[in-house]
Amino acid sequence: MVRIIPMAASSIRPSLTCLSSSPRFPISLFSRNLSRTLHVPQSQLFGLNSHKLLRRSVNCLGVAESGKPAQASTATAQDDLLTWVKNDKRRMLHVVYRVGDLDRTIKFYTECLGMKLLRKRDIPEEKYTNAFLGYGPEDSHFVIELTYNYGVDKYDIGAGFGHFGIAVDDVAKTVELVKAKGGKVAREPGPVKGGKTVIAFIEDPDGYKFELLERGPTPEPLCQVMLRVGDLDRAIKFYEKAFGMELLRTRDNPEYKYTIAMMGYGPEDKFPVLELTYNYGVTEYDKGNAYAQIAIGTDDVYKTAEAIKLFGGKITREPGPLPGISTKITACLDPDGWKSVFVDNIDFLKELE
């Protein structure tokens, strides 16, 4: 079964970044300073020849009409934002997906995979229920968020989603337990293709695949989410720049015509990772409607949204507080269309209270 190394109470350290806002520069102060620079009265600044005066002001401030200094300024802003992303206190919080029978899934995860039911949340006005399961408290561990939509008992997993990864002490014993509980084994225990790590694949009652990896004790037994992408280099660059993830390793397997890249916020034996898989020649996948998203903590959802837009992502929900609970979030799609949600770190901890 799973052995867990205790982790610190929380890997999120609140920062003043999320409590601050950018001060606005008053137009009156701008015009007063500009009038002094141009040696003209303020009353003339916004008259018929204002565009000429403003152009003069631009040149006085050292910005050529050619736009080259402006380009340099834009590059500096990009570098500053990239640095901020790298220093932001980010952590993978939970992975969200839909199931057709919540009680059945909870029973399988707790009895076969050793997870704990951390909490449930019913939202009758929206006709859905959430259940959070994992191997430790949400403020310090990566967990699963199951969603049951009233009356929907089946979903299409699609071809793009791959699997979740769970680290266990003994893969063979875990597989035997799954079989005893009536679970489905998709791949019997044995070394991974082209490697030595002992793995197995099982399926939960809804058909989601779990890769069991034989490892020593780890603080994060729920250790992987695997998604397929159509352009691996593009995906790596996006997750490095927009998400601030580190490329931990890549492995090419030409015999089986695929390449993987492991991305995350720390080493694989201590942190959950995103496993991106590129199958030779495949550029698009059917994503179905079962898998939803990964949630990631951030100190500032507004700056996060800026970075996502700048580095090739698409914002699907502008940053701001959720109605009713005031937790600030922003949602986005990566270049392959996979969804992620960023959640304000301090608001997330308050929500858990």
Side-chain angles (χ1 to χ4, degrees):
M1 293 301 291
V2 177
R3 279 196 294 160
I4 305 171
I5 294 178
M7 181 178 277
S10 175
S11 58
I12 298 175
R13 297 184 299 278
S15 165
L16 292 177
T17 305
C18 64
L19 300 177
S20 63
S21 60
S22 299
R24 295 184 177 180
F25 190 69
I27 187 66
S28 60
L29 181 59
F30 170 76
S31 62
R32 185 161 60 248
N33 290 340
L34 187 56
S35 69
R36 291 171 182 169
T37 302
L38 299 177
H39 307 292
V40 297
Q42 291 186 55
S43 60
Q44 295 182 18
L45 279 178
F46 300 100
L48 293 175
N49 295 320
S50 60
H51 64 286
K52 295 180 181 179
L53 296 175
L54 289 174
R55 189 162 56 208
R56 283 170 55 195
S57 73
V58 169
N59 290 332
C60 286
L61 294 173
V63 180
E65 291 185 48
S66 66
K68 290 182 180 179
Q71 293 174 1
S73 177
T74 300
T76 300
Q78 290 183 2
D79 289 342
D80 289 345
L81 192 54
L82 186 60
T83 299
W84 179 84
V85 168
K86 291 293 184 183
N87 293 329
D88 189 23
K89 297 174 180 63
R90 297 189 173 183
R91 179 174 73 84
M92 292 170 65
L93 304 177
H94 46 257
V95 59
V96 186
Y97 52 101
R98 303 170 183 95
V99 297
D101 185 327
L102 195 58
D103 292 335
R104 178 187 64 184
T105 304
I106 292 171
K107 181 179 175 67
F108 182 84
Y109 289 2
T110 54
E111 293 185 358
C112 295
L113 300 178
M115 295 186 193
K116 296 177 181 178
L117 176 61
L118 303 172
R119 61 184 171 110
K120 289 178 71 175
R121 177 176 66 191
D122 187 40
I123 314 293
E125 61 271 20
E126 299 291 338
K127 297 183 179 180
Y128 73 88
T129 305
N130 293 132
F132 296 80
L133 296 100
Y135 296 100
E138 291 178 66
D139 64 356
S140 58
H141 288 75
F142 185 49
V143 306
I144 287 171
E145 178 183 339
L146 302 175
T147 298
Y148 169 71
N149 291 297
Y150 293 5
V152 183
D153 60 4
K154 191 174 182 180
Y155 292 94
D156 174 20
I157 294 178
F161 170 79
H163 61 260
F164 306 111
I166 296 181
V168 299
D169 286 340
D170 191 320
V171 167
K173 283 186 178 180
T174 304
V175 167
E176 289 304 314
L177 178 60
V178 169
K179 288 180 178 178
K181 296 290 183 178
K184 181 179 178 180
V185 177
R187 181 199 189 276
E188 292 289 341
V192 66
K193 294 175 181 177
K196 297 180 180 179
T197 304
V198 176
I199 67 166
F201 277 92
I202 64 168
E203 289 186 15
D204 77 358
D206 288 274
Y208 292 101
K209 285 186 172 63
F210 284 79
E211 181 181 14
L212 305 177
L213 302 101
E214 194 158 281
R215 289 183 182 173
T218 172
E220 286 282 19
L222 180 60
C223 58
Q224 288 180 7
V225 177
M226 192 275 261
L227 302 174
R228 298 182 176 94
V229 298
D231 184 326
L232 190 59
D233 290 337
R234 179 186 65 183
I236 290 171
K237 289 178 182 177
F238 175 78
Y239 281 100
E240 283 181 326
K241 292 182 177 181
F243 280 43
M245 289 186 177
E246 179 185 353
L247 175 61
L248 303 171
R249 63 183 174 95
T250 61
R251 187 180 80 229
D252 185 38
N253 199 327
E255 182 181 357
Y256 296 99
K257 298 183 179 180
Y258 73 88
T259 308
I260 65 168
M262 296 295 192
M263 312 284 299
Y265 296 110
E268 289 180 68
D269 60 340
K270 293 182 174 66
F271 293 85
V273 299
L274 180 62
E275 178 181 343
L276 302 175
T277 297
Y278 169 69
N279 292 298
Y280 293 6
V282 184
T283 58
E284 292 185 5
Y285 292 93
D286 171 24
K287 295 177 178 60
N289 62 355
Y291 174 83
Q293 66 217 25
I294 290 175
I296 298 172
T298 175
D299 277 347
D300 191 325
V301 297
Y302 300 94
K303 281 190 175 180
T304 293
E306 289 179 27
I308 290 165
K309 292 176 183 177
L310 182 63
F311 298 121
K314 179 182 178 181
I315 297 297
T316 57
R317 188 191 190 284
E318 290 295 333
L322 287 169
I325 60 175
S326 299
T327 298
K328 293 184 288 295
I329 72 164
T330 189
C332 69
L333 299 179
D334 75 359
D336 287 276
W338 292 113
K339 183 180 178 181
S340 295
V341 173
F342 284 82
V343 184
D344 180 271
N345 282 330
I346 291 179
D347 291 348
F348 177 69
L349 294 178
K350 288 179 180 177
E351 190 177 329
L352 294 179
E353 293 172 358

